[in-house]
Amino acid sequence: MKLKVGDKVKIVEGTRYYNDDSKSNPNGIEGEISSVEDCTYFVGWSNGIWNSYEEGDLELYEPINIDNYEIY
């Protein structure tokens, strides 16, 4: 699947960025693609940090649907 500007994304598990888990390569949080140049994706993370990635480093972010959980 080709990612595009406006897509909500996260870092793919197993990439060199995934285990970095720094502020500029955060695991498990949402980012939004702001622009694409050639095969480089520029992402603004929900923590306020920006970074760029290549195709294959990102996947669509799918938040957990809390309607399917029960609270005890």
Side-chain angles (χ1 to χ4, degrees):
M1 170 184 285
K2 196 76 162 171
L3 299 172
K4 61 188 180 311
V5 171
D7 281 349
K8 305 292 186 197
V9 294
K10 66 180 181 178
I11 296 174
V12 172
E13 188 173 344
T15 65
R16 63 185 169 152
Y17 301 108
Y18 185 81
N19 290 327
D20 180 15
D21 198 27
S22 64
K23 289 183 180 182
S24 60
N25 295 310
N27 288 336
I29 72 167
E30 174 184 334
E32 184 174 338
I33 296 175
S34 62
S35 65
V36 180
E37 296 177 21
D38 297 319
C39 292
T40 302
Y41 297 89
F42 295 89
V43 177
W45 295 108
S46 58
N47 65 2
I49 304 294
W50 292 82
N51 208 339
S52 60
Y53 300 89
E54 297 174 0
E55 194 167 334
D57 292 330
L58 303 168
E59 63 186 355
L60 288 176
Y61 180 83
E62 296 181 22
I64 296 172
N65 183 351
I66 60 171
D67 294 335
N68 292 333
Y69 292 91
E70 292 183 27
I71 299 175
Y72 296 94

